């Protein structure tokens, strides 16, 4: 099988990037960038039972969507509590990163997936509201494992982008409160502020990414100020940006999947190094040829490969 040259886009995505690059930057519209994430194929077909619920939360009830493989299981199934991305201010249970990921993992792994619609930050909602919702949702799944058909000893906590950040922060808190999840599954997470400096190799890759598709520190500072109700980024607690934690020992086995053409990759890679230094078992993967948020592109081959790997983690004993 031929080896893909480094810093070459996935062919499916590359054609779209080429079309975008043909347009002068000052003539591009939001729709031109949104077109990069349009479906490349149909949704996968899985035989699942899907149920929308509202569970108790520390504030309002928390909407969750439960995905169960149809038919009985010989024993309780593993479970993934899943968190979508959206920069902490957007996203919902219907976006592909939530719905298609949950369906794909549940079907592949014969597992239960609980997708969580945590509170989004706004002018009136700030940290730790989304963090508290995630912790409450994890505990609800654990406490209702029998009714959900879930093995309480095999409940993983995971998410993508901002959801990966929340999954890491909630895992850190649950470790501190002696409730450590079975695994942490983190997809292209941002867990540091400011964003760690890129390696020379990553910096070279980022020169090929169309602007404004790279998150920079100035944007992160604005988002963080909203999350912290105006407080500066350097005051963010470790539960908000877990890469700032002084002690990561006792963190559960962790899977980190970074996107090749993504400024946040430096954060995911550094977090993997920090966890290993603390004695944590880490599997770190680079999804080659893709931009940040590749799970949002329905039909993308690299997204299917990521779902295969996530399912493999849930099939672990």
């Amino acid at each position: 099988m031929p080896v893909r040259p480094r810093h070459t886009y996935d062919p499916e995505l590359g054609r779209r990037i080429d079309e975008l690059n043909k347009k002068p930057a000052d003539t591009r519209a939001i729709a031109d960038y949104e077109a990069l994430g349009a479906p490349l194929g149909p949704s996968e077909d899985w035989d699942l039972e899907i149920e929308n619920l509202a569970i108790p939360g520390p504030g309002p009830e928390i909407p969750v969507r439960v995905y169960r493989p149809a038919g009985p299981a010989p024993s309780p199934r593993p479970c993934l509590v899943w968190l979508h991305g959206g920069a902490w201010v957007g996203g919902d249970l219907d976006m592909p990163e939530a719905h298609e990921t949950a369906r794909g993992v549940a079907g592949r792994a014969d597992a239960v997936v609980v997708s969580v619609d945590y509170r989004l930050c706004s002018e009136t909602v700030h940290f730790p509201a989304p963090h508290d919702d995630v912790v409450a949702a994890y505990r609800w799944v654990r406490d209702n494992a029998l009714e959900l058909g879930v093995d309480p000893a095999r409940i993983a906590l995971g998410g993508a982008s901002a959801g990966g950040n929340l999954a890491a922060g909630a895992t850190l808190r649950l470790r501190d409160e002696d409730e450590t999840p079975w695994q942490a599954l983190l997809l292209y997470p941002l867990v540091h502020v400011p964003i760690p400096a890129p390696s020379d190799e990553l910096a070279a890759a980022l020169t090929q990414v169309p602007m404004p598709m790279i998150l920079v520190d100035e944007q992160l500072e604005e988002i963080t100020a909203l999350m912290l109700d105006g407080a500066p980024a350097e005051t963010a607690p470790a539960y908000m940006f877990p890469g700032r934690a002084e002690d990561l020992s006792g963190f559960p086995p962790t899977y980190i999947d970074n996107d090749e053409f993504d400024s946040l990759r430096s954060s995911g890679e550094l977090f993997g190094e920090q966890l290993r230094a603390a004695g944590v078992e880490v599997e770190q993967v680079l999804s080659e040829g893709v931009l940040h948020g590749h799970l949002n592109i329905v039909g993308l081959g690299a997204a299917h490969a990521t779902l295969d790997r996530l399912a493999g983690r849930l099939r672990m004993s």
Side-chain angles (χ1 to χ4, degrees):
M1 183 176 180
V3 176
R4 186 185 64 82
R6 199 69 185 268
H7 302 160
T8 301
Y9 282 110
D10 181 287
E12 300 167 292
L13 183 60
R15 287 189 288 272
R16 294 181 173 183
I17 297 289
D18 289 343
E19 288 299 314
L20 178 67
N21 286 336
K22 290 177 183 177
K23 293 187 174 185
D26 59 355
T27 68
R28 298 173 191 168
I30 293 176
D32 295 318
Y33 293 97
E34 291 176 341
L36 295 176
L40 283 162
S43 297
E44 295 182 314
D45 186 19
W46 297 103
D47 188 12
L48 302 171
E49 298 172 355
I50 302 175
E51 183 179 14
N52 290 308
L53 300 172
I55 66 173
E61 288 187 319
I62 306 167
V64 300
R65 187 172 294 168
V66 181
Y67 299 75
R68 299 184 187 89
S75 59
R77 291 181 165 106
C79 178
L80 171 61
V81 179
W82 181 250
L83 314 171
H84 64 77
W88 303 279
V89 297
D92 56 39
L93 298 182
D94 294 323
M95 64 189 293
E97 194 174 71
H99 185 60
E100 298 299 332
T101 298
R103 292 177 66 253
V105 172
R108 282 170 169 81
D110 190 34
V112 175
V113 178
V114 179
S115 187
V116 182
D117 199 12
Y118 54 85
R119 280 174 288 176
L120 302 176
C121 289
S122 66
E123 295 299 331
T124 58
V125 177
H126 308 285
F127 188 88
H131 170 89
D132 289 343
D133 286 353
V134 170
V135 171
Y138 173 84
R139 288 171 171 161
W140 177 84
V141 171
R142 180 199 60 200
D143 295 344
N144 292 275
L146 180 62
E147 293 82 356
L148 294 168
V150 164
D151 179 353
R154 292 191 295 160
I155 302 174
L157 184 54
S161 191
N165 163 281
L166 289 169
T171 297
L172 186 65
R173 175 175 162 186
L174 290 163
R175 179 212 64 175
D176 288 347
E177 298 178 8
D178 295 324
E179 304 174 72
T180 309
W182 171 43
Q183 300 183 61
L185 308 181
L186 312 179
L187 280 292
Y188 36 90
L190 174 62
V191 291
H192 301 86
V193 58
I195 301 170
S199 64
D200 291 344
E201 179 272 318
L202 175 55
L206 293 177
T207 63
Q208 297 181 221
V209 180
M211 290 297 288
M213 300 194 67
I214 301 174
L215 179 68
V216 297
D217 281 325
E218 291 78 8
Q219 294 167 309
L220 178 58
E221 288 175 3
E222 292 179 5
I223 297 170
T224 303
L226 179 66
M227 295 170 70
L228 291 172
D229 196 17
E234 55 265 25
T235 66
Y239 289 159
M240 184 170 165
F241 287 101
R244 306 180 69 168
E246 295 182 0
D247 178 15
L248 290 169
S249 61
F251 213 82
T254 300
Y255 171 86
I256 302 174
D257 193 323
N258 298 304
D259 291 332
E260 181 177 4
F261 294 92
D262 182 6
S263 60
L264 304 193
R265 194 207 326 164
S266 59
S267 181
E269 290 175 341
L270 176 57
F271 195 54
E273 294 173 7
Q274 291 175 293
L275 289 171
R276 290 191 188 96
V280 177
E281 176 190 328
V282 178
E283 178 185 2
Q284 189 149 285
V285 172
L286 180 65
S287 285
E288 297 183 343
V290 295
L291 297 164
H292 180 79
H294 73 277
L295 287 179
N296 268 313
I297 304 180
V298 177
L300 180 68
H304 291 165
T306 295
L307 298 180
D308 289 342
R309 292 191 293 268
L310 289 174
R313 294 288 306 198
L314 294 182
R315 288 194 295 265
M316 295 169 57
S317 58

